[in-house]
Amino acid sequence: MSGGRLGAVPDVGAGARRDAGVMSRFKRVLIILTTVAVVLGLALVGGALWLYSDAKVSTVGSTDFSNELAVPPPAASTVKSDGTRVFDLTMRAGEKEFRAGQKTPTWGFNGDYLGPTLRAKRGEKVQVKIENALGEESTVHWHGMHLPAKMDGGPHQMVAPGATWTPRWTVDQPAATLWYHPHPHGKTEKHVQRGLAGMFLLHDKKSDRLALPDKYGVDDLPVIVQDVKFDGAKFDHSRKLMSDTGFLGDRTMVNGTLDPYKEIGDELIRLRLLNASTARIYDFGFSDGREFALIGTDGGLLEKTTRMDRIGLSPGERAEIVVRMKPGEKTTLRSFPQDNYGDFWQTRFAGGDDSFDILQLRAAKSLRSSPELPATLGELEVPDESDSVRGRFFGLRTSGINGKKMEMGRVDETVTRGTAETWTVRNEHSTPHNFHIHDVQFRVLEVDGKEPPAELRGAKDTVFVPGNTTVKLVMRFDGPADPDTPYMYHCHLLYHEDLGMMGQFMVVEKGEKAGKVRTPHAHAGH
């Protein structure tokens, strides 16, 4: 055997041990990462489930109806020698005990919260002296009123602190339930939430002759519905994490009254429903499922009485309903969950699953008899599609209308006085919106190409537009022309309006062009 050194024998075992160690460390890291991912996933799922379950709100069965319903007082007025009816309104700060022993900072007209009910007749000249006793400028918009643009109270008619503004106009529209509220650009939600709102009721000879409940505060009740939330004694106006519609409260009040009840002494009761919430949409009905008669919408009485058991109202919309009571019974005005929000996400996080017990009606043991409601109420003073001379399109997104955010100095549309137009309004995404047009009342022609339901067949100035829905409207612009002062159109979910979901239109004479929008300034008094 020949001599020489033998080569080193490789330590196969050591390499295998190194490989095994690497694999062991890899497995441990993999297990740790998997565990972390599972924990995070479970946390996310748990958080999502918590957000989902926490988003649903209901006061059904938990409302004790312990407070008598407050009825806003009729506004005092004087009549000048020329027949002008004069009202005085003061915007001021105050505080109110919504709950015993807890004083909540508020704003109101002529009081601590909300405002008096103004009343005027068709053909009457009206003047309102508005004083701003707040610490910041604001406006007063006459929602649903047909009046000159300079008197409209939009963001171009600001009233400075300590100043007064005195709009005047002649009432030239049918009997209707209207309302008034601030309209400062970018701050409307906050000003309304604090309590600046009130009703403005119009009357005319035709409606006065009808056998309808008309004793204000007795068988003819204002029902101003708002959702609220409290943080201690103060209002909590914060928005929920997953909601993109605006503020959604966890309880409701009527006419500034929490847990309200109303003693009823008549067989028929007229409820003038106003959704004065800033974002919440209600589906009104009664706890026992009883039917009611719908007699009017935003712009006045319907052509005929319509029986139904539910009516939906988005922010700013109104409805006049009449409900029959029997001696000694109780029933509750309730807002039910809704199925017209669009997708699953919006239904849960925009309030569609919520329900509220709003107002309890308590009938006396003996009731005054009421005449039967008339089957025919009147004629609608809104145009039909055949009257329209042109069409326009409005695409709604939270980011703006037709892709544009509101700019105070920009004229978006120009219309000719005396003409009727068809406006097609399309909600281009899933978030709920609605659409309000200043100065005019419109007819809803179609909802997604179909005939509108009964509650949309009256005169309207505000209409709900659920996600991915299209509505077609026709209106006539027959007010005074003003090439320098615009009216507004906007989403009346006030958070959206404040974000810039609003546009401006001018009414001009035939052949006239819109002028330059006058720079907004706060009225220093006149």
Side-chain angles (χ1 to χ4, degrees):
M1 182 173 63
S2 59
R5 296 183 60 189
L6 294 173
V9 178
D11 189 350
V12 177
R17 286 193 298 274
R18 283 196 300 272
D19 291 343
V22 170
M23 288 299 296
S24 178
R25 286 193 297 274
F26 176 75
K27 288 179 179 180
R28 285 198 298 272
V29 170
L30 185 61
I31 291 171
I32 291 170
L33 290 175
T34 301
T35 302
V36 170
V38 169
V39 170
L40 287 175
L42 290 173
L44 289 172
V45 170
L49 290 173
W50 176 81
L51 284 172
Y52 178 77
S53 60
D54 187 61
K56 184 177 180 178
V57 177
S58 176
T59 63
V60 173
S62 63
T63 304
D64 59 13
F65 301 113
S66 55
N67 299 311
E68 185 174 2
L69 177 70
V71 176
S77 64
T78 59
V79 179
K80 297 166 67 173
S81 59
D82 67 352
T84 300
R85 184 169 298 279
V86 181
F87 299 95
D88 289 273
L89 290 178
T90 299
M91 296 183 281
R92 67 191 194 192
E95 56 183 17
K96 179 178 174 65
E97 283 194 18
F98 297 99
R99 298 165 297 168
Q102 300 190 60
K103 295 182 178 180
T104 300
T106 57
W107 285 359
F109 291 100
N110 297 359
D112 51 21
Y113 191 78
L114 297 180
T117 298
L118 279 63
R119 305 182 76 161
K121 296 180 179 179
R122 187 170 197 172
E124 195 168 33
K125 290 183 287 187
V126 169
Q127 176 180 308
V128 188
K129 181 182 178 183
I130 298 164
E131 180 182 354
N132 185 355
L134 301 171
E136 60 182 279
E137 62 182 10
S138 191
T139 73
V140 180
H141 166 57
W142 315 105
H143 186 124
M145 193 74 75
H146 176 50
L147 76 180
K150 291 177 184 177
M151 309 300 169
D152 183 55
H156 292 272
Q157 290 91 42
M158 301 297 290
V159 187
T164 59
W165 177 52
T166 310
R168 53 183 62 83
W169 68 95
T170 299
V171 176
D172 185 20
Q173 62 193 101
T177 299
L178 311 182
W179 67 303
Y180 60 96
H181 63 80
H183 210 303
H185 183 39
K187 297 181 179 180
T188 299
E189 182 186 44
K190 179 178 71 172
H191 286 210
V192 173
Q193 284 174 331
R194 290 181 174 181
L196 291 177
M199 276 193 176
F200 200 138
L201 305 185
L202 300 183
H203 302 267
D204 62 23
K205 292 180 180 179
K206 290 181 179 179
S207 66
D208 287 346
R209 289 194 294 264
L210 295 173
L212 297 173
D214 62 359
K215 297 184 289 292
Y216 180 80
V218 180
D219 63 356
D220 185 356
L221 302 177
V223 181
I224 303 172
V225 183
Q226 299 168 293
D227 60 333
V228 294
K229 187 177 182 180
F230 290 93
D231 180 7
K234 297 181 178 180
F235 284 132
D236 180 357
H237 296 315
S238 62
R239 289 182 293 276
K240 291 184 177 181
L241 181 63
M242 306 302 289
S243 174
D244 57 2
T245 57
F247 169 78
L248 297 173
D250 58 9
R251 61 192 303 183
T252 58
M253 60 184 180
V254 179
N255 302 344
T257 308
L258 290 170
D259 305 332
Y261 71 89
K262 177 63 177 175
E263 299 283 357
I264 300 302
D266 295 86
E267 289 179 334
L268 293 182
I269 302 297
R270 182 182 191 172
L271 303 180
R272 296 179 185 259
L273 303 176
L274 162 61
N275 182 350
S277 294
T278 61
R280 185 171 291 285
I281 297 146
Y282 298 100
D283 188 21
F284 291 110
F286 287 93
S287 54
D288 52 13
R290 70 178 61 196
E291 284 192 336
F292 53 83
L294 176 66
I295 62 170
T297 53
D298 299 344
L301 297 177
L302 301 177
E303 292 179 311
K304 60 182 180 179
T305 301
T306 303
R307 305 294 304 183
M308 57 201 323
D309 59 9
R310 298 284 183 83
I311 183 165
L313 296 181
S314 64
E317 288 186 285
R318 289 88 66 208
E320 297 182 33
I321 67 172
V322 177
V323 59
R324 179 174 291 278
M325 301 293 292
K326 295 180 180 179
E329 72 173 351
K330 296 179 182 179
T331 189
T332 299
L333 179 68
R334 178 175 291 172
S335 178
F336 293 84
Q338 298 151 75
D339 59 3
N340 62 340
Y341 266 52
D343 63 23
F344 165 85
W345 179 275
Q346 293 296 339
T347 298
R348 175 48 64 104
F349 292 104
D353 285 334
D354 298 347
S355 52
F356 296 92
D357 277 351
I358 292 173
L359 170 66
Q360 187 180 75
L361 301 179
R362 301 176 181 175
K365 292 182 180 180
S366 176
L367 298 176
R368 290 180 290 270
S369 62
S370 302
E372 291 297 321
L373 293 178
T376 302
L377 299 171
E379 296 181 2
L380 296 183
E381 297 185 20
V382 287
D384 207 339
E385 189 170 20
S386 60
D387 302 312
S388 179
V389 299
R390 67 161 294 172
R392 299 178 196 263
F393 177 82
F394 299 85
L396 305 184
R397 289 182 176 271
T398 307
S399 57
I401 299 177
N402 287 343
K404 297 181 290 186
K405 277 192 174 185
M406 168 68 178
E407 289 186 12
M408 295 285 282
R410 185 186 68 224
V411 179
D412 296 287
E413 308 289 343
T414 303
V415 302
T416 302
R417 187 183 71 84
T419 62
E421 295 190 357
T422 301
W423 288 15
T424 299
V425 182
R426 169 72 179 170
N427 187 339
E428 297 180 326
H429 58 181
S430 60
T431 302
H433 295 301
N434 71 4
F435 196 70
H436 170 53
I437 310 175
H438 288 207
D439 183 55
V440 301
Q441 294 292 329
F442 52 74
R443 184 192 299 268
V444 180
L445 297 173
E446 297 177 0
V447 177
D448 280 340
K450 299 178 181 178
E451 182 182 15
E455 62 267 27
L456 296 183
R457 294 177 194 166
K460 297 282 292 174
D461 55 56
T462 308
V463 63
F464 182 40
V465 191
N468 302 304
T469 297
T470 301
V471 297
K472 185 184 287 188
L473 321 170
V474 62
M475 69 227 68
R476 187 185 306 280
F477 302 92
D478 56 3
D482 187 339
D484 300 312
T485 309
Y487 294 105
M488 306 293 117
Y489 55 84
H490 57 88
C491 178
H492 214 283
L493 277 67
L494 298 184
Y495 172 58
H496 295 171
E497 175 191 320
D498 287 345
L499 289 176
M501 200 174 171
M502 181 161 62
Q504 304 188 120
F505 69 96
M506 295 283 202
V507 178
V508 301
E509 296 289 356
K510 185 176 181 180
E512 187 179 24
K513 293 184 178 180
K516 185 177 181 181
V517 181
R518 293 171 182 169
T519 303
H521 66 283
H523 291 269
H526 64 274

